[in-house]
Each structure stands twice: as C-alpha cells, then as structure tokens.
Amino acid sequence: MIIFILRRLGIMALTMVVVSVMLFLLLEFTPGNVATKVLGPYSSEEQRTLWLEAHGYFEPLWVRYFSWLGNFVTGDFGESVRFKVPVAEVLWPRLWNTVVLGFWVFVVMIPLSLLLGVLAGMREGSALDRSISVTSIITTSIPEFASAVFLAAIFVFWLGLLPGTSTMTGGFDWWQLVLPVMVLVIYDFGYVARMTRASMAEVMTTPYIRTAILKGLPYRRVIMRHALRNALIAPFTVIMLQINWLLSGVIVVEFFFAYKGFGALLLEASLNQDIYLIEACAMVAVFVAAATQTFADIGYTYLNPRIRFS
Amino acid sequence: MTDLVDALDTRGTVSSALRAVGSFKLLRESWVGMIGTGIIGFWVVIALLAPLIAPFDPNTPLQPFAKPLTEYATGDGTFWLGTDHLGRDILSRVIWGSRTVLFYAPLATASAYFVGILMGLAAGYYRGRIDEFLSFLANVILSFPVLVLYILVITTIGSSGINIIIAITFASAPGIMRIVRGLVLDLRNRDYVAAAQTRGESSWFIMLVEILPNARGPLIVDSCLRLGYVVITIGVLGFLGLGLPPPAPDWGGMINEARSIALAFPHMTVIPCIAISTLVLGFNLLADGLREISLRD
C-alpha cells in the first residue's frame, strides 16, 4: 500500500515537471516575446535588451528553466504585468473565492446526485430510473454558459428574484452565490448521478444482494447495510475527478457572473498575455487537477478491500 | 486479378451499405436514438438550406434592439426572433451559425480521431516503450483541466478556425487514444490477427485493416458523445471571446457580444443558447440510443 502511494506521488511529481517544461517552452521559449509582453508593445528595442539582461534572459534555456522552477517552488511567481503587484498577492485571494464557490457546489451536488443515482439504480428500468436518466442527459447537454443564460433570464429578468452579477463588491453576499452554484450543480450532477446509478445497478445484480433479499431481510436494510457500501466506491472516484471538470466550469461561470475567482483570473491573464500570472494560474490548476486524481486513485484503492488486502 | 479485387471491393461496399441500413433499422427501435437523429437532421437541413430560408443577410445591420416579432420598419419582413445590438436579424444569424458549427465540429472531431486512432493503434499494438511514452504523454495532457488547455493554446496561437481545430485535436486526441489502446490490447490476441501476422502482413496493415474495423462499435458511440462535446467547446470558446473572429455568425460569439446587455434583452443570448443546447442534446441522445442497441446484441 505504501509503495503504491509513493509510486502514485512519484507519477504526479513527474507529470508536474513535464507540465512545467511544456508551459515554460510555450510561454518563454523566445525571450524577445517575453520582453514585449512585460514591457508592452511600445517599448524600445534598447529597453527590452536592458530588461532581458537584468532578468537573466541571455542565459541558456535550461539555466533559465531551472532558476524559474526554483523561484516557482519557493512561491516567488514574479510580478503581474496587469495588476502591478506580485502574482501571489492576486492569486491566493482569488483562489480562495473559487474554493468557496466549489465548496458550496459540492455541498449541494453530492447528496443530490448520490440520492438520485441510488434511487435510479435500486430498481433498474423503473419509471423513476428512466426519468432520472433522461433528466441527466438533458442537463449534461446544456453547457454551463447556456444554463447561466437561461437561469439569469428566468430569475433575474422575469422574476427579478436574484442579482445577475456576483461581483461581491459590498462584501460577501449569499444571494450572489446562488446562481453560480446552481449553474455548476446543474451541469455536473447528471454525470455523477449516472455513474452512481450504473454502480448501484451492478451491485443490485450480485449474488450477495439476492441472498440478502431471499433470506428475508427488510429491503431498506439490504440497501442501507449491504448495497450502499459497495455501490458508493465508484462514485467516490467520479466525484474526485469532478474537481477537474469544475476547474473548467468555474472559468465560464465566473466570467459570466463577474465573480472574482481563480477561473476569471486565469482567463483575464490569458487574454492580456500577463505571462507570469498565466504561468502561476496554469500550474495551480494542473496541480489541483493532478492532486485530486492522485487522491482519487489512492482513495479508491483504500476503499476497495479486494485491492487493499491483496 | 483486378476483377477479383473489384468483386471483393463491391461486395465489401454492398455489405457495409447493408450493415448501415441494418443499424439504422435497429436505431428505429430506440426512441431516444430516433429523437437524437431527428434533432441532428433538423439542424443539418437548416444548415444546408441556409441561403434559402434565412430571411435577411446575417451580417447586415438593419434595426437595432428589435424585440422578437417586430415588423421591419421598411415593411420588408418580420424579425421573428428579434435583432441584436447592431440590428442584425437573430433568426438569420442562428440559421447561418448552424453552418459554422456543423462545419467545424465534425472537422475538428475527425481530426482528433485521426491523431487519436493512430496513437492508440501504435500504443496498443507495439506496446512496450512506445506505449509507455504515448500513455504518459496522454496522461500529462489529460491532467490539464480541459478549458485551461484550450485557453492557453488559443491565446498563444491566436483564434481562428484552423487554430480551433488544432486546439481541439490537441486536447481530445489523448482521450481517444486511451479508448483505442484499450480496444487494441483486447483485439490483438485474436486469431485473425495471428493469421495476418503469419501471412506476413505489415504492422500498419494489420492495425488499420484487421484491428480497427473490429473496434468500430465503441468508437462510434464515443464519437457521437465527443461531437456533442466539441459543439460545446466551440460554443464556450466563442462565449469567452476566443472563437471565430467577428462578424462570422457563430452561436457562441453571439452570446459573447450580447452578454453585457443580456439582462435587458434576454432574447439576444437565450436564442443561440437554445440552438447550441438542442444540437448537443441531439448528439447525446443519439449516442445513448446507439449504446442501448450495442448492449442489446
């Protein structure tokens, strides 16, 4: 088990290194471009050369990569061109806002999708099962930006119940969080529910469930004590991997509702070619995605006794 | 000899045509699949007939901020779905926009499949070092949150039709490769592969002629799902302002342009969103129907 965890962590570290090389080559391969992006298109040739000299850009590529990597892992991400402050000062508060958003998405989505998935999978082919399946196909067919548009039209334009933007300029406001959370939940819950349903339906066909029913245990007890334990192992992985999807979703939702989060920051940095901010945001996004994947793998192995004790 | 090849060839074509008819008949048994086919067919017809059925030119400013069902002031027609902030007819833009998405989405998906299938065949057939290398590469690309990858690639290489296809190929090929690799690992031990190896066929002949056609079932279902997802991706890129440059009628771009005034004029954003959602729903329903049928036999 420990060897397995170490191997998974090793693979994750290797992935991060390769991603950092890719990012570095993509953004910093030609020093001239970096100088133009940092100093702006109207800087003179002389200014750019001086800047490149001062920031060590005439060193060989691999020396530059390792000094960049060294600064990076110690938390020195450089200075944002757009915000004129160190990247870390913009990045961490924005990331925290996104964590808050993501937390509430999961608080709503997990119970909802597990409940629907279990109910649908308990009696495969029932009317409830089919209506849940069709609903989840429809909700996963509506992209986040479309459901954001629909919900904003209904709740903001027609009913006038909720605010249409979530800038939170006057401090934290629950009402402004409702629509972003709703949009993300609607897009994500269908997939988790379908996966839970498939897992539950599979467990319900196993001999030990049949035995439990045939020996006369109450149906509720069969479900709660016997079926759920095994049926919820697969959804655990699916839910962990949803974090990767959520990182894409928050970009759209934060952009639409003008929520000051990590996704909107990444988009803003990319559109303005704010080079150090892009690097930091992309590395954080990939780190979160890779870490959750690793955690999901380790968790799955731990939860599944057949693997744990072999 | 040529006669024999021709005869074999025609027989192959006829039998595959029969199979296509057969699978369509099977599809008729799945009402979910039929609804999906109907929705896709609707949009394909709209796209093909765009010049005939669009009431106005999609890019000419006529009368700004018209609500749906407004009469054109000159008396030359009605804005059935209203106009946008520049006065362009929304119905015409949605109709012409279906051409854009139904051109780029299949092209980008096909390109991703081409790369993904070649990578998957090589990884699954040769195994060993090649497999390890390709699989690791795929894992690295798949560890990116997918939209982050699109934003990074598009903002670096610029937004244009061909760059959208490149970005979608880059981001989707690893996923396709994984599926193909899994299928090949299973199929490469079949007797007909061993027979072809004994005949002395080349590796790529075996992969493309013996293995690939037998892996088509799961790939067809996956390609439907992926087409739906590529439609979403093209929409998202347009919505984020990274899609086709204006004034091309592009559904995602229409939403992006009207975003800031959407709360006052919801029809400008709601209508293209309905268009995108129905098309994606069509592909997802078709995929579900196909899967249902493939599980049956």
Side-chain angles (χ1 to χ4, degrees):
Chain A
M1 186 73 199
I2 288 175
I3 294 171
F4 173 77
I5 292 176
L6 287 178
R7 254 196 63 198
R8 282 296 313 160
L9 289 175
I11 293 174
M12 184 186 149
L14 193 60
T15 308
M16 291 303 299
V17 169
V18 174
V19 166
S20 70
V21 171
M22 278 169 58
L23 261 180
F24 185 79
L25 291 180
L26 185 72
L27 294 165
E28 298 206 19
F29 186 71
T30 32
N33 285 348
V34 181
T36 318
K37 281 171 192 165
V38 173
L39 299 175
Y42 301 112
S43 53
S44 69
E45 196 62 42
E46 205 177 326
Q47 282 173 312
R48 285 180 212 164
T49 317
L50 279 173
W51 186 87
L52 288 173
E53 181 82 63
H55 290 80
Y57 272 93
F58 290 112
E59 303 277 340
L61 195 65
W62 64 273
V63 175
R64 274 166 49 207
Y65 170 72
F66 281 108
S67 75
W68 173 81
L69 191 67
N71 286 340
F72 214 94
V73 291
T74 50
D76 175 12
F77 303 140
E79 188 166 296
S80 160
V81 180
R82 183 169 169 76
F83 296 96
K84 311 278 179 225
V85 289
V87 166
E89 269 179 42
V90 204
L91 183 64
W92 300 125
R94 291 291 200 106
L95 192 62
W96 173 248
N97 287 345
T98 296
V99 169
V100 171
L101 178 62
F103 173 78
W104 287 109
V105 170
F106 273 66
V107 164
V108 179
M109 182 194 75
I110 293 174
L112 181 73
S113 54
L114 290 186
L115 184 71
L116 291 178
V118 167
L119 286 177
M122 250 164 58
R123 290 198 174 87
E124 219 186 334
S126 64
L128 182 72
D129 176 26
R130 266 176 293 159
S131 50
I132 289 175
S133 294
V134 171
T135 312
S136 69
I137 293 184
I138 294 175
T139 54
T140 40
S141 297
I142 305 176
E144 286 107 341
F145 62 85
S147 50
V149 163
F150 295 146
L151 292 177
I154 295 170
F155 289 102
V156 184
F157 181 75
W158 283 313
L159 300 178
L161 286 175
L162 293 168
T165 53
S166 311
T167 48
M168 309 257 174
T169 37
F172 186 79
D173 180 359
W174 286 101
W175 289 111
Q176 295 186 10
L177 206 60
V178 175
L179 279 179
V181 169
M182 244 159 103
V183 169
L184 289 168
V185 168
I186 285 177
Y187 188 70
D188 277 347
F189 91 91
Y191 184 71
V192 181
R194 288 184 92 175
M195 290 295 145
T196 313
R197 176 199 169 277
S199 170
M200 187 72 187
E202 199 190 318
V203 169
M204 292 308 283
T205 60
T206 53
Y208 79 91
I209 293 293
R210 195 187 57 192
T211 309
I213 295 173
L214 288 181
K215 78 178 178 187
L217 284 184
Y219 195 65
R220 172 187 293 268
R221 198 177 154 85
V222 176
I223 299 292
M224 301 299 279
R225 289 289 298 274
H226 298 259
L228 280 186
R229 285 191 176 189
N230 279 311
L232 292 183
I233 295 176
F236 165 78
T237 315
V238 175
I239 289 169
M240 288 310 292
L241 296 182
Q242 283 298 306
I243 292 179
N244 194 334
W245 280 101
L246 201 63
L247 279 170
S248 293
V250 292
I251 297 177
V252 170
V253 168
E254 289 176 1
F255 176 65
F256 187 89
F257 292 106
Y259 184 77
K260 295 248 175 287
F262 173 76
L265 183 70
L266 189 145
L267 182 68
E268 201 180 338
S270 301
L271 289 176
N272 294 295
Q273 288 295 304
D274 190 344
I275 184 163
Y276 300 120
L277 193 55
I278 301 176
E279 287 170 356
C281 285
M283 286 301 281
V284 167
V286 177
F287 176 77
V288 172
T292 48
Q293 169 125 43
T294 307
F295 187 70
D297 279 1
I298 295 171
Y300 182 77
T301 318
Y302 179 74
L303 287 177
N304 194 337
R306 257 174 302 186
I307 304 178
R308 199 191 335 158
F309 293 118
S310 66
Chain B
M1 184 63 198
T2 34
D3 284 350
L4 184 67
V5 172
D6 278 349
L8 279 174
D9 202 4
T10 7
R11 213 178 52 200
T13 328
V14 170
S15 72
S16 64
L18 279 177
R19 255 204 314 271
V21 173
S23 53
F24 187 71
K25 268 187 186 154
L26 271 175
L27 190 59
R28 282 216 312 239
E29 286 169 26
S30 152
W31 61 272
V32 173
M34 282 311 287
I35 295 174
T37 317
I39 297 174
I40 299 167
F42 168 78
W43 281 115
V44 169
V45 169
I46 295 269
L48 289 175
L49 299 180
L52 298 176
I53 50 178
F56 297 97
D57 181 84
N59 292 329
T60 314
L62 302 165
Q63 186 177 320
F65 300 109
K67 292 253 158 71
L69 298 177
T70 310
E71 295 281 337
Y72 189 16
T74 61
D76 283 338
T78 311
F79 302 119
W80 296 106
L81 299 177
T83 60
D84 65 6
H85 60 296
L86 297 177
R88 298 172 296 191
D89 181 47
I90 289 179
L91 177 62
S92 306
R93 282 181 77 70
V94 167
I95 289 172
W96 281 95
S98 69
R99 277 200 164 190
T100 316
V101 68
L102 285 174
F103 175 75
Y104 282 107
L107 205 62
T109 314
S111 157
Y113 259 87
F114 182 74
V115 176
I117 283 177
L118 290 185
M119 285 169 69
L121 285 172
Y125 188 77
Y126 292 122
R127 297 188 292 186
R129 283 277 166 78
I130 295 179
D131 181 23
E132 272 171 33
F133 173 74
L134 288 174
S135 294
F136 181 72
L137 198 69
N139 282 338
V140 169
I141 295 175
L142 289 174
S143 68
F144 275 91
V146 61
L147 195 51
V148 174
L149 195 59
Y150 284 125
I151 291 175
L152 280 176
V153 172
I154 295 280
T155 51
T156 309
I157 64 179
S159 67
S160 69
I162 185 81
N163 285 354
I164 289 175
I165 294 175
I166 292 172
I168 289 174
T169 305
F170 185 71
S172 316
I176 298 166
M177 179 214 134
R178 271 195 185 172
I179 298 172
V180 175
R181 176 182 170 274
L183 293 167
V184 173
L185 283 177
D186 176 42
L187 291 172
R188 70 189 302 280
N189 298 322
R190 299 289 169 92
D191 288 342
Y192 55 80
V193 175
Q197 282 165 340
T198 322
R199 282 205 307 273
E201 305 285 7
S202 70
S203 306
W204 281 104
F205 178 87
I206 295 173
M207 285 184 237
L208 294 172
V209 179
E210 304 285 346
I211 296 180
L212 187 59
N214 287 296
R216 67 180 185 279
L219 291 182
I220 291 172
V221 176
D222 178 71
S223 66
C224 273
L225 283 177
R226 220 169 270 278
L227 260 170
Y229 195 70
V230 168
V231 172
I232 294 185
T233 303
I234 293 174
V236 169
L237 289 176
F239 167 74
L240 295 177
L242 300 169
L244 298 169
D250 164 41
W251 292 345
M254 289 169 72
I255 304 163
N256 181 42
E257 286 166 24
R259 198 172 49 88
S260 51
I261 45 172
L263 292 179
F265 303 94
H267 70 274
M268 293 180 194
T269 50
V270 167
I271 290 161
C273 281
I274 292 175
I276 293 179
S277 305
T278 52
L279 183 57
V280 176
L281 182 65
F283 284 120
N284 284 352
L285 289 177
L286 178 60
D288 211 60
L290 288 173
R291 185 170 27 211
E292 206 176 285
I293 291 162
S294 68
L295 286 178
R296 210 178 285 162
D297 46 46

